Amino acid sequence: MTSSVQIYDLHCHSDQSDGILSPEALVSRAKAQNVSVLALTDHDTVSGIARARAQADIEGLTLVTGIEFSSQWCGRGVHIVGLNVDLNCSALGSAIEKQEQQRAERAQCIAEKLESMGVSGAFEGAQKHSDEGVIGRPHFAAFLVDAGYVKNIQQAFKKYLGAGKPGDIKQMWPEIETIVDWIRASGGTPVLAHPKKYNMTRTKLCAMVADFKEAGGTAIEVVSGAQQDEVTRDLARIATKYDLLASCGSDFHSPGGKWQELGNFSQLPESVQPVWSQW
Ligand code: AMP
Ligand code: MN
Ligand code: MN
Ligand code: MN
């Protein structure tokens, strides 16, 4: 029996940020995984959207315009997804320009930190891995593996780039309020991404969710990739408590490895209101 349930995957990455697949290949893969509605949410860029949309038209899949903005809250890096942002909005264009600038400066900063840890040529190395796209920590990680400083990506984050390590630089990211304003100004829906991936206590997490809601945030990812049912239930409770719509997505970056496959995650609980119920 074939299921008539539509699969919404509202969070994934292409090679325009730190994913592996081209926007076209990503959309084709989503189609093969029975995804009906896909949001491409590259980090701080929408440069893959037009290509993804053209492919979605060919494949007969609905593409939602998305972006995953980097922000900070109380000194921690936090990600806010914008869904259905208007690409023609000048507020969005200037926001992305600012983030690009911040990313470029941050990459220089990360390279300097790595230099002080005895790693040379990191900026050029990361740049090469980013293939002229947005430079992020995963590109530094790939360089560190290639240059033999570490055995794998996980080690690169553990030793150099992960939370609390010298290469984890997030001071330049705007506060949540600014990001939410940007997304709303461009007609989009601000969604708090993968709330359980910040290693916060539940009290801290709720404080952050309250601030996000206060700032005008409207949705929260209740399902992000593979997660325990108890985590889903807890996030559903948080969504209800703060009167937030619920989103879901794989956060797919590449086939295999630690990343979840496109469309492959559990459904939203009945108790929450899906973010797409208002579309
Ligand atoms: P950035 O946007 O430059 O701060 O880099 C953040 C990205 O690094 C995340 O979106 C993930 O794709 C990746 N990342 C973060 N932590 C890890 C980790 N421990 N292992 C592999 N990738 C990671
Ligand atoms: Mn990423
Ligand atoms: Mn993220
Ligand atoms: Mn992501």
Side-chain angles (χ1 to χ4, degrees), residues 45-254:
T45 184
V46 290
S47 61
I49 300 289
R51 287 168 58 192
R53 168 143 295 122
Q55 188 65 25
D57 289 347
I58 294 169
E59 306 264 3
L61 173 153
T62 302
L63 188 92
V64 171
T65 304
I67 186 165
E68 183 176 16
F69 275 120
S70 309
S71 97
Q72 59 167 322
W73 180 82
C74 289
R76 293 161 193 258
V78 168
H79 289 170
I80 313 284
V81 164
L83 295 178
N84 281 317
V85 287
D86 176 2
L87 294 186
N88 297 317
C89 172
S90 62
L92 181 73
S94 54
I96 291 172
E97 251 174 55
K98 275 196 197 115
Q99 292 293 86
E100 260 172 20
Q101 177 94 32
Q102 296 296 343
R103 267 199 185 265
E105 285 173 25
R106 172 181 184 252
Q108 294 287 1
C109 246
I110 294 174
E112 281 166 27
K113 294 278 184 187
L114 294 180
E115 183 86 46
S116 72
M117 293 176 83
V119 175
S120 52
F123 183 80
E124 292 72 20
Q127 207 171 30
K128 205 175 100 218
H129 281 282
S130 79
D131 211 12
E132 305 299 310
V134 163
I135 299 189
R137 286 179 287 161
H139 305 114
F140 281 95
F143 157 74
L144 287 164
V145 174
D146 259 15
Y149 290 99
V150 286
K151 280 208 212 67
N152 54 44
I153 300 284
Q154 289 310 316
Q155 259 190 20
F157 273 91
K158 212 168 163 191
K159 189 164 175 203
Y160 295 99
L161 302 162
K165 301 296 164 191
D168 172 34
I169 295 175
K170 63 236 170 220
Q171 298 84 298
M172 40 264 289
W173 299 135
E175 299 286 333
I176 284 181
E177 291 75 10
T178 306
I179 303 281
V180 167
D181 283 350
W182 285 346
I183 295 170
R184 290 178 67 115
S186 56
T189 302
V191 185
L192 182 62
H194 43 63
K196 293 280 187 176
K197 307 244 167 89
Y198 304 116
N199 289 325
M200 291 179 188
T201 61
R202 196 174 190 282
T203 309
K204 263 254 148 70
L205 177 58
C206 285
M208 177 175 70
V209 173
D211 283 356
F212 172 72
K213 171 77 183 180
E214 171 82 21
T218 40
I220 182 170
E221 284 182 355
V222 167
V223 175
S224 172
Q227 66 186 27
Q228 305 273 314
D229 289 348
E230 179 43 37
V231 168
T232 306
R233 280 194 291 272
D234 193 39
L235 288 171
R237 281 192 290 268
I238 292 176
T240 303
K241 180 172 174 195
Y242 293 94
D243 192 21
L244 292 164
L245 298 168
S247 187
C248 58
S250 57
D251 204 4
F252 175 87
H253 283 66
S254 67

